[in-house]
Amino acid sequence: MYYIQPLSQYNFDLKAKKLEGLARLAKLGLPTVSNLFVVSPKAYKVFYKTHKLGDDLKYELGKIFQSIRSQGESVTLRNAIYERNNPAVAFSVSNSPNLKTYQEFEKRIVAGYRKAMRTSFDPANLEFSYLIQSFYSSEKCGTLLTTSNRTQILLHAILGQHTNLLFRGDIEPDSYVIQKSTYKILDKHIAEKQYRFKKQRSGLTKVRVNKDEQYQPVLTDEQVVRIAKLAIRAEKTYGPQQIDWAILDSGKIIFQETHNLEKPNNIRFAEQGEIIYPSEVSGEVVNVHAIPDKGLETLKDKIVITDNLDIQFINKLLFVCHPKAVILTKGSLTSHAATILREAKMTTILIRGVNLPDQDKVKITKRGEIVHE
Amino acid sequence: MNKLIKLSDIAKASQSLVGNKAYRLSLLNQAGIKTSDFFVIPTSITNIDNAITQEINNYLAVNPDIHYAVRSSATCEDGSSASFAGQFTSYLSLTAEEVILAIKKVWESAQSETIKEYCSYHNIDLSVIKMAVIVQQMVSADKGGVVFTRDVFQDRNLIVIEAAKGLGEQVVSGVVDSDKYVLDKKQGKVLEGVLGFQKSILSKSEVRQIWELALRVEKLLGSPQDIEWAIQGKQLYILQTRPIT
């Protein structure tokens, strides 16, 4: 086809973030929305010049539409638009879900092109892509940050289908903190649920949640772990991600979108530890597993990271090496090592599995965070 | 006194003879709190002659099939500013034949380099330390851990429970990542933690049981406590307790 391609094979210059994220998921074979196709900006250019879709495009649209409908599914039309010379200026016109007739589908495509041409941007400079996909409905959805800090995953879950409600603060979500290295759920908060938002013909409707569902978690622990494991596959290839996920009525987990999790340089990146003895110190980190035979003085005034909670090691570290602070990467707050460090008033926090390179400069705050300097 | 002291007789002995740990456990025992049964080699005994060996073997012969823990109970131990936590060696899951050697090793650990460094840092005169040794019946723990009756970490009016499967020793030695439960001290409500998770080590009723018992121990001993506990079946045991430093 000339105008339309499957998203997973779409090799254009993907500047539209929405398409880029979905293309990543499709290329990695992660479960996402089915039947993803892109109508390239070439189609928009034809429409801009002729004010018509053209027979070739109509033929391709008809073929894709029929192929999705033949699977018993209806069609959703989404779009991604940006200015050619300024990709940072990106916007979209309204989406069209659950289309069941080709006439309605074509009408919506034309309406979208026309709407974009009426915006304040120069219509000749717009790069307008449509995304065609299967319509789906889900009762549960949410977002996930693969790096809420370097060692943990943060997941939010709500009833309903619209993750944007989370960002608007309309609904308090269930929230989970998951340890990245083991997928152990470290903490969870189950929100009291008053409403869910349901998509109906009239639009988004607020529906009261049944009493027996009010205090029930949105997800089972197994679902939380499954979503987290899938998300880490995306992170391994593309770096830290913010992922919108959903669970279809069939029980299948899909990722609706993914974005790079931005970490601007001017934002200091903090990792939350558990406090053993609080105070604020700054310094250079050094990873130590055993006391070296020589050069004990090299640990003086350093922030020592260790997974060794053996008391002989801890004594030597404290009473002979005199570090500035200690970060334990293993164990618990009530361990003997933690007790000995606290008694000695040594600034100490516990962050399981934390991984910082030697010579990294960090600050430990009174609240038990590691802030990278 | 050159005789071993049974748990039921500790109340009649002086604290300097049985050491701090044994003394506190006996207070709990007198108050009806379940502790694992034990006897003490008092501070007055400093070497094991034939008579002592015979006496120890007589005690152990009563229950030949069970295992023992051998722990320190020094006169300096578990103070309010220096806990000596983990400083003296403890031995767990010993057969009766292994007990005497373990007692000797606990005595030896009082002279170790690591104790000297610890005492020097805390300005404690090593020469005044007297060492009693506890020989305690092992609890075959399904779950074990530690409870702090005050949140020393963030100075809040909370109770912190840490739990692992098996022996609580794994929690204090830091070899496992334990489950943590933070409770409101007054009401016992779980504020943070993994309770209710499918893989939570403790059930709601176990958390409540530990909370209630921890408050009893704190009240009885008059200060916030760092308590090692174990659950075998439905029975909750206190294995040791010390003031929080």
Side-chain angles (χ1 to χ4, degrees), chain A residues 188 222 274 315 334 343, chain B residues 83 87 114 118 180 197-198:
Chain A
K188 79 171 165 183
E222 283 73 18
E274 296 178 82
N315 278 2
T334 58
E343 276 176 12
Chain B
S83 64
Q87 299 293 327
T114 193
Y118 184 85
K180 186 175 83 165
F197 283 34
Q198 215 161 9

Side-chain angles (χ1 to χ4, degrees), chain B residues 51-64:
Chain B
I52 299 294
T53 303
Q54 189 56 51
E55 203 178 347
I56 291 171
N57 286 339
N58 289 345
Y59 273 110
L60 301 179
V62 176
N63 291 299

Side-chain angles (χ1 to χ4, degrees), chain A residues 184-185 188 221-222 274-275 309 311 315-316 319 330-336 339-340 342-344 352, chain B residues 81-83 85-87 114 117-118 121 146 148 152-153 162 171-172 174 177-180 194 197-198 245:
Chain A
K184 184 177 178 183
I185 298 171
K188 79 171 165 183
D221 290 352
E222 283 73 18
E274 296 178 82
I275 299 168
L309 276 74
I311 286 298
N315 278 2
K316 192 72 86 182
F319 308 135
K330 203 180 151 190
S332 64
L333 296 176
T334 58
S335 66
H336 287 153
T339 297
I340 297 301
R342 193 180 62 250
E343 276 176 12
R352 294 185 185 102
Chain B
S81 61
S83 64
Q87 299 293 327
T114 193
E117 285 160 356
Y118 184 85
Y121 182 84
V146 177
F148 274 38
V152 290
F153 313 106
E162 292 195 308
V171 175
V172 296
D177 290 340
S178 50
D179 278 1
K180 186 175 83 165
V194 291
F197 283 34
Q198 215 161 9
T245 46

